[in-house]
């Protein structure tokens, strides 16, 4: 049986990762479509900026979030004064950090899916009078479903493992920002708590394996549906 402490860290990790994926998904689809379909000056720079979190040290991302979205940051201060929204030292900030770190993986998977859509299907629909928005919603988006699902699961799994930017941006607060990786870090630093750290390690591995299994199953189902539709 899991202890209350482990259950709290597990539920918080699932909440942070789920919110990070859901709120970053629209932006991920938009960025993937832009990178896959449009050609414009500065595209290579935009591509590099989107994928920058993959190569930056997570602590650098956390520091940038701290000076920009913290309570005294140049954006965070205005968000708090105007809308009462604060990302400092709460789970919202942890979700923001997880979303930024996992965003490139989501965009990469969805972009590859957009690049494999047969443009002739979209062109045929337009010649029949469908608007670009209707073509996107009824043809393009369903055909990219496997890539979207894969991107969401990859981002979810990456969010679950996020550590460096989270602890730098929102610290390690029990019940608020202490997700499974941060809880493991706390146990590792505590003499005699090796068994608790090991239990959380096993929980992380199980969640990752389940996520990958669900991803493969959903992707296969989506591919079968797309093949049938075509």
């Amino acid at each position: 049986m899991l202890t209350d402490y482990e259950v709290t860290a597990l539920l918080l990790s699932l909440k942070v990762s789920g919110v990070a994926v859901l709120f970053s998904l629209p932006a991920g689809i938009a960025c993937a479509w832009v990178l896959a379909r449009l050609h414009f000056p500065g595209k290579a720079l935009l591509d590099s900026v989107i994928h920058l979190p993959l190569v930056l040290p997570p602590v650098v991302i956390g520091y940038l979030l701290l000076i920009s979205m913290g309570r005294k940051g140049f954006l965070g201060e205005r968000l708090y004064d105007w809308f009462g929204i604060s990302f400092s030292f709460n789970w919202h900030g942890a979700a923001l950090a997880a979303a930024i770190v996992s965003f490139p993986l989501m965009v990469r998977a969805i972009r590859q899916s957009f690049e494999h859509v047969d443009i002739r299907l979209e062109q045929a629909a337009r010649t029949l009078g469908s608007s670009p928005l209707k073509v996107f919603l009824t043809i393009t988006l369903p055909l990219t479903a496997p890539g979207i699902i894969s991107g969401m699961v990859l981002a979810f799994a990456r969010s679950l493992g996020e550590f460096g930017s989270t602890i730098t941006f929102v610290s390690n607060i029990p019940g608020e920002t202490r997700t499974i990786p941060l809880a493991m870090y706390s146990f590792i630093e505590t003499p005699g708590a090796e068994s608790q750290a090991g239990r959380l390690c096993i929980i992380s591995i199980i969640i990752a394996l389940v996520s990958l299994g669900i991803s493969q199953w959903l992707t296969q189902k989506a591919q079968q549906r797309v093949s049938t539709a075509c």
Side-chain angles (χ1 to χ4, degrees), residues 6-53:
E6 291 165 344
V7 170
T8 300
L10 173 61
L11 294 179
L12 180 61
S13 294
L14 295 175
K15 181 171 71 173
V16 166
S17 301
V19 169
V21 171
L22 290 178
F23 277 83
S24 61
L25 180 61
I29 293 175
C31 289
W33 184 85
V34 168
L35 293 176
R37 295 296 180 83
L38 300 184
H39 300 280
F40 54 91
K43 180 179 175 180
L45 177 61
L46 176 63
D47 195 3
S48 299
V49 171
I50 289 174
H51 289 87
L52 199 56

Side-chain angles (χ1 to χ4, degrees), residues 49 115 120 181 190 198 230:
V49 171
E115 290 173 343
R120 291 174 297 181
T190 303
C230 293

Side-chain angles (χ1 to χ4, degrees), residues 24-209:
S24 61
L25 180 61
I29 293 175
C31 289
W33 184 85
V34 168
L35 293 176
R37 295 296 180 83
L38 300 184
H39 300 280
F40 54 91
K43 180 179 175 180
L45 177 61
L46 176 63
D47 195 3
S48 299
V49 171
I50 289 174
H51 289 87
L52 199 56
L54 284 179
V55 294
L56 275 179
V59 67
V60 173
I61 298 173
Y63 175 72
L64 293 174
L65 284 172
L66 192 63
I67 62 175
S68 62
M69 301 299 290
R71 185 68 63 86
K72 297 299 181 182
F74 61 91
L75 288 177
E77 185 175 17
R78 288 165 177 77
L79 285 176
Y80 184 74
D81 291 341
W82 295 346
F83 306 108
I85 299 174
S86 175
F87 291 98
S88 298
F89 306 111
N90 57 47
W91 72 270
H92 300 97
L96 177 62
I100 291 176
V101 171
S102 62
F103 192 69
L105 295 175
M106 177 187 289
V107 172
R108 182 182 290 263
I110 299 175
R111 176 184 181 179
Q112 291 176 348
S113 192
F114 273 125
E115 290 173 343
H116 286 87
V117 172
D118 190 346
I119 298 178
R120 291 174 297 181
L121 294 174
E122 299 173 343
Q123 293 172 339
R126 287 173 189 167
T127 58
L128 295 175
S130 298
S131 66
L133 179 60
K134 186 176 181 180
V135 171
F136 179 78
L137 294 177
T138 59
I139 295 178
T140 309
L141 211 53
L143 291 177
T144 57
I148 294 174
I149 293 171
S150 178
M152 290 177 65
V153 175
L154 284 173
F156 183 80
R158 177 63 185 87
S159 297
L160 282 175
E162 167 48 31
F163 175 80
S165 62
T166 302
I167 198 171
T168 306
F169 182 37
V170 293
S171 189
N172 186 2
I173 305 172
E176 187 64 40
T177 64
R178 184 171 290 176
T179 56
I180 289 179
L182 273 66
M184 282 189 63
Y185 174 74
S186 301
F187 281 134
I188 291 171
E189 284 203 321
T190 303
E194 292 82 5
S195 61
Q196 289 92 330
R199 287 164 61 92
L200 289 178
C201 177
I202 294 172
I203 291 172
S204 298
I205 293 172
I206 292 174
I207 293 175
L209 289 175

